[in-house]
Amino acid sequence: MTTRMVPMSDLCQDLYGLSAAPPEAFLNHGKVLLVIAGADGEVGEAELARLVDHQRRTGAPEEVIGQYEEFDHRGAELMDLLPAIRTDVDTWQAAPHLVYHAIQMCGADGVHAESERAQVLRAARLMGVPGDIVLSLHALADMERAVGDLRAALFHVNGV
């Protein structure tokens, strides 16, 4: 049986070397991020907006994105969602990408609280991502945020 593949955006091709994934991969990618970000009981507006923006940038179909708001993250098991997250690259591993995007999503409101860091670390451990990689992914997200702030200041974006 052949699985229908959805083309991914140029952004995904440039950043990650990925060009296609099944709709279920997009859907479960977002669901995993909702489970991680909602481990404290709720997914904030900024977190959900970050997820939707990210998924649109990757090329996720709108019918997939539309399912995120109705998804009950409290009743979902992280490990049940992972098998469907695959792409056209056999060597690609979802777990580090999910941790990276969870870090970004949890910090979308401008605050990356210690409880959110703990949530990301717990999820990373469940998915088999080593602690040193998690620290490196946090550092990468921090550096990218700083570069964005610098770009905004240099080009007077958003009144900076």
Side-chain angles (χ1 to χ4, degrees), residues 79 81 151:
M79 298 309 285
L81 298 169
R151 184 180 299 110

Side-chain angles (χ1 to χ4, degrees), residues 54-160:
H54 172 263
Q55 292 297 80
R56 283 195 175 119
R57 288 174 178 232
T58 65
E62 284 299 319
E63 62 269 13
V64 165
I65 293 170
Q67 295 181 51
Y68 295 142
E69 243 180 275
E70 283 80 41
F71 176 65
D72 182 9
H73 62 275
R74 291 173 292 252
E77 289 294 327
L78 188 75
M79 298 309 285
D80 293 341
L81 298 169
L82 292 175
I85 304 174
R86 55 189 179 75
T87 68
D88 61 334
V89 177
D90 292 336
T91 57
W92 181 80
Q93 296 178 8
H97 288 266
L98 289 163
V99 171
Y100 170 69
H101 294 297
I103 291 166
Q104 292 178 320
M105 189 172 157
C106 289
D109 58 1
V111 178
H112 199 82
E114 197 54 44
S115 62
E116 291 173 325
R117 284 184 178 268
Q119 289 167 214
V120 170
L121 186 56
R122 274 193 301 276
R125 286 182 182 142
L126 274 173
M127 293 185 289
V129 179
D132 61 334
I133 299 298
V134 176
L135 287 174
S136 297
L137 292 168
H138 274 287
L140 176 60
D142 290 344
M143 284 188 289
E144 288 174 340
R145 193 171 14 263
V147 167
D149 291 346
L150 176 60
R151 184 180 299 110
L154 288 171
F155 298 117
H156 306 286
V157 176
N158 299 325
V160 175

